[in-house]
């Protein structure tokens, strides 16, 4: 595939995403609250918040290596949004959550989430930066021994070093929820965390613990994109098996996608 | 226009310029074969380059902010009598002094930091092995069982024993087909999530802009 084709597809992809997000937000604003798929561990967060309030122990929220300005900027933004809602719900506690990160550019993001969501102030030392990867894992494991968090929520970019942090939490009997935008981190989270989210669930997590309509709309747009890709892959597979793949053209694919979205909207309105 | 409105406006303008510049710049073929297409492509590339350079400068500055934060947090901890914070602050002072006095000599880093990180990396193995053993405690369902079975097959398949050739072949197929397909599906999902989060930021709907 040459550069021009890649660029055209990229522009199309972004344009479709913008249309989906704007449309989902429009319908969400008109219809209000709607059902959303369940994510693992989300029902545990209110319990952890309650424990934090009752015991006076903070929550530990970790961005890992998710950093603004790098490849994982969207992961950092999604994690910041997720943490904002968690911090807001923990506001009745005496101890502000501990927010850690290994990308220095994420420090203002974490500090901003704390400042906006924690109304009691005194949060300057609660966002903590540590050098990346293993040094981060070592430092976090040591510092959580001092702070004794009620629970750990690790959402962002983690690699295999996540094992050290989760193992440390497990040994202290502290529950954990983890999600990473990296495959190795995701595998470790699945094996070691009490609750693990997988892949794009990181981006749907903020809407699962809040009543923010925009967030729900974004999660719905994400689900529509997923559905379209699964359907597209299935159709491609069928065409390949029936030796009809040459019939496929991008105009046909675009038309089919438009028809499917329209049908989805009609079905959604009737329901 | 309030402060939040101004942030959203600036975010949208900068985001739109960056995305147009990065998507459409640097490829004259997009603008036809006319004489002005190269100049147009070059001009479109320019704002993206400038913004990316600004990002690099901001990230470099954020390292300084990170170090200040580290010192601030650990001075606070030292005041509460935390011994490890004293070790960190002393290490920081010694490393700075060493680097300044020895004109950028990195031997301290190689002699201390690298072995410590290697030791931590070695610790990863028991942590992961223990985690694998605990999977069935945490997830006593068919997916947990499948996870453990795949780990065992891949581990057995990596052993250099002739008797395990069928296991090796099965392990290779597992890695090449189902694992590869699953990994691609997860990456695709993450890419979609990243695109939606990017559009959210571009539309100025991110909380960092909304305040």
């Amino acid at each position: 595939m040459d550069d021009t084709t890649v660029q055209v597809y990229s522009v199309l992809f972004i344009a479709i995403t913008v249309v989906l997000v704007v449309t989902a937000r429009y319908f969400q604003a008109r219809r209000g609250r709607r059902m959303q798929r369940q994510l693992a561990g989300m029902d545990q967060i209110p319990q952890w918040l309650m424990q934090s309030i009752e015991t006076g122990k903070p929550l530990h929220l970790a961005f890992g290596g998710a950093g603004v300005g790098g490849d994982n900027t969207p992961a950092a933004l999604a994690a910041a949004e997720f943490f904002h809602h968690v911090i807001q719900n923990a506001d009745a506690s005496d101890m502000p959550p501990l927010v850690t990160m290994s990308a220095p550019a994420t420090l203002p993001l974490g500090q901003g989430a704390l400042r906006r969501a924690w109304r009691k102030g005194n949060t300057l030392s609660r966002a903590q930066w540590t050098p990346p990867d293993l040094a981060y894992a070592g430092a976090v494991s040591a510092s959580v021994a001092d702070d004794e968090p009620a629970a750990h929520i690790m959402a962002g970019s983690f690699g295999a070093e996540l094992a050290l942090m989760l193992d440390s939490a497990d040994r202290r009997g502290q529950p954990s929820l983890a999600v990473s935008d990296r495959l190795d981190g995701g595998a470790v989270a699945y094996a070691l965390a009490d609750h693990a989210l997988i892949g794009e669930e990181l981006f749907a997590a903020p809407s699962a613990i809040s009543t923010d309509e925009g967030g729900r709309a974004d999660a719905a747009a994400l689900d529509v994109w997923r559905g379209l890709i699964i359907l597209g892959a299935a159709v491609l597979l069928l065409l390949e098996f029936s030796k009809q793949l040459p019939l496929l053209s991008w105009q046909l694919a675009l038309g089919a996608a438009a028809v499917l979205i329209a049908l989805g909207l009609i079905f959604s309105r009737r329901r | 226009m309030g402060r939040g409105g101004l942030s959203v406006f600036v975010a949208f303008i900068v985001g739109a310029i960056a995305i147009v510049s990065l998507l459409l710049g640097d490829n004259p073929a997009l603008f036809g074969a006319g004489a002005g297409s190269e100049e147009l492509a070059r001009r479109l590339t320019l704002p993206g380059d400038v913004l990316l350079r600004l990002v690099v400068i901001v990230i470099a500055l954020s390292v300084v902010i990170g170090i200040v934060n580290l010192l601030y947090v650990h001075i606070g901890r030292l005041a509460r009598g935390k011994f490890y914070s004293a070790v960190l602050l002393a290490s920081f002072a010694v490393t700075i002094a060493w680097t300044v006095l020895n004109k950028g000599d990195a031997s301290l880093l190689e002699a201390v930091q690298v072995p410590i990180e290697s030791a931590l990396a070695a610790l990863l193995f028991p942590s992961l092995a223990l985690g694998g053993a605990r999977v069935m405690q945490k997830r006593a369902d068919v997916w947990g069982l499948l996870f453990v079975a795949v780990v065992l097959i891949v581990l057995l398949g990596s052993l250099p024993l002739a008797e395990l050739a069928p296991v090796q072949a099965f392990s290779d197929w597992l890695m090449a087909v189902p694992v590869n397909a699953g990994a691609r599906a997860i990456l695709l999902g993450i890419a979609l999530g990243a695109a939606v989060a990017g559009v959210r930021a571009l539309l100025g709907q991110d909380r960092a802009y909304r305040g």
Side-chain angles (χ1 to χ4, degrees):
Chain A
M1 203 182 281
D2 63 298
D3 285 352
T4 309
T5 316
V6 170
Q7 279 172 309
V8 170
Y9 280 136
S10 304
V11 171
L12 270 177
F13 174 73
I14 289 167
I16 293 171
T17 309
V18 170
V19 169
L20 278 179
V21 168
V22 172
T23 312
R25 278 173 176 266
Y26 171 75
F27 279 98
Q28 184 68 33
R30 280 187 56 177
R31 295 185 56 199
R33 200 179 170 89
R34 56 168 289 166
M35 290 292 286
Q36 199 194 353
R37 66 186 153 121
Q38 294 290 310
L39 299 180
M42 289 296 150
D43 54 339
Q44 295 294 311
I45 292 178
Q47 287 181 32
W48 296 346
L49 289 168
M50 197 60 76
Q51 276 174 20
S52 166
I53 292 164
E54 284 172 0
T55 58
K57 290 177 177 176
L59 288 173
H60 172 225
L61 312 174
F63 280 96
V68 179
D71 287 345
N72 43 29
T73 303
L77 292 177
E81 183 74 12
F82 182 33
F83 292 162
H84 173 88
H85 296 300
V86 175
I87 297 167
Q88 209 167 33
N89 292 334
D91 199 34
S93 173
D94 292 329
M95 280 294 281
L98 179 68
V99 182
T100 61
M101 69 284 293
S102 66
T106 312
L107 191 56
L109 204 63
Q111 192 67 58
L114 272 168
R115 186 178 50 78
R116 276 189 297 273
W118 188 265
R119 296 187 197 96
K120 295 172 189 164
N122 197 23
T123 56
L124 196 57
S125 64
R126 301 304 289 172
Q128 299 179 2
W129 171 77
T130 307
D133 301 333
L134 286 166
Y136 173 70
V140 165
S141 302
S143 74
V144 297
D146 286 342
D147 286 291
E148 293 181 21
H152 301 262
I153 301 178
M154 299 168 175
S157 192
F158 300 90
E161 78 278 0
L162 182 62
L164 289 175
M165 293 188 275
L166 289 173
D167 187 42
S168 159
D170 200 55
R171 275 187 283 113
R172 293 186 173 88
Q174 297 158 350
S176 57
L177 182 148
V179 53
S180 174
D181 70 340
R182 287 168 54 184
L183 285 175
D184 47 354
V188 170
Y190 185 81
L192 284 160
D194 292 314
H195 305 279
L197 301 182
I198 295 174
E200 102 290 345
E201 288 179 341
L202 166 63
F203 300 92
S207 62
I209 58 157
S210 75
T211 51
D212 178 25
E213 290 186 354
R216 286 173 186 274
D218 293 346
L222 188 56
D223 285 345
V224 171
W225 245 137
R226 257 182 3 147
L228 284 175
I229 287 185
I230 291 168
L231 207 68
V235 169
L236 279 177
L237 209 65
L238 278 176
L239 288 173
E240 172 68 19
F241 276 132
S242 58
K243 311 268 185 226
Q244 301 297 322
L245 203 54
L247 281 180
L248 190 75
S249 66
W250 69 267
Q251 291 96 333
L252 189 70
L254 213 61
V259 169
L260 280 172
I261 290 172
L263 283 175
L265 287 176
I266 292 166
F267 179 71
S268 160
R269 279 184 70 113
R270 281 194 181 166
R271 202 171 56 170
Chain B
M1 191 186 286
R3 201 174 138 211
L6 184 68
S7 311
V8 170
F9 179 73
V10 172
F12 176 74
I13 294 295
V14 172
I17 290 173
I19 206 163
V20 168
S21 176
L22 293 171
L23 277 177
L24 303 179
D26 211 19
N27 186 4
L30 273 177
F31 308 105
S37 58
E38 274 199 24
E39 180 62 16
L40 184 60
R42 196 186 62 78
R43 284 188 180 196
L44 270 175
T45 313
L46 199 62
D49 284 349
V50 171
L51 287 168
L52 285 180
R53 282 182 194 189
L54 278 173
V55 168
V56 172
I57 294 169
V58 170
I59 289 175
L61 273 176
S62 73
V63 175
V64 179
I65 297 171
I67 291 168
V68 171
N69 170 270
L70 190 73
L71 294 177
Y72 177 79
V73 166
H74 283 277
I75 288 169
R77 279 175 176 264
L78 187 62
R80 296 199 304 273
K82 303 292 182 190
F83 172 71
Y84 287 134
S85 295
V87 175
L88 182 133
L89 292 169
S91 309
F92 179 80
V94 168
T95 310
I96 293 282
W98 180 278
T99 311
V100 170
L101 292 175
N102 294 294
K103 298 192 172 97
D105 177 30
S107 55
L108 197 62
L109 182 83
E110 283 161 18
V112 180
Q113 180 79 7
V114 174
I116 288 175
E117 289 224 357
S118 305
L120 271 175
L123 267 180
L124 268 179
F125 171 71
S127 292
L128 285 169
L130 208 61
R134 282 191 196 138
V135 166
M136 286 313 291
Q137 279 182 335
K138 290 183 190 281
R139 298 178 213 291
D141 55 16
V142 66
W143 305 114
L145 194 67
L146 190 66
F147 186 89
V148 174
V150 170
V151 169
L152 286 177
I153 289 168
V154 173
L155 282 177
L156 283 174
S158 62
L159 292 175
L161 297 173
E163 294 81 3
L164 292 173
V167 180
Q168 282 167 3
F170 184 57
S171 165
D172 289 345
W173 175 83
L174 265 180
M175 294 302 286
V177 184
V179 172
N180 203 4
R184 284 183 188 190
I186 291 173
L187 289 175
L188 210 64
I190 291 169
L192 290 179
V196 171
V199 168
R200 182 190 172 92
L202 187 68
L203 296 176
Q205 295 301 311
D206 198 79
R207 200 168 297 276
Y209 307 130
R210 282 189 286 158

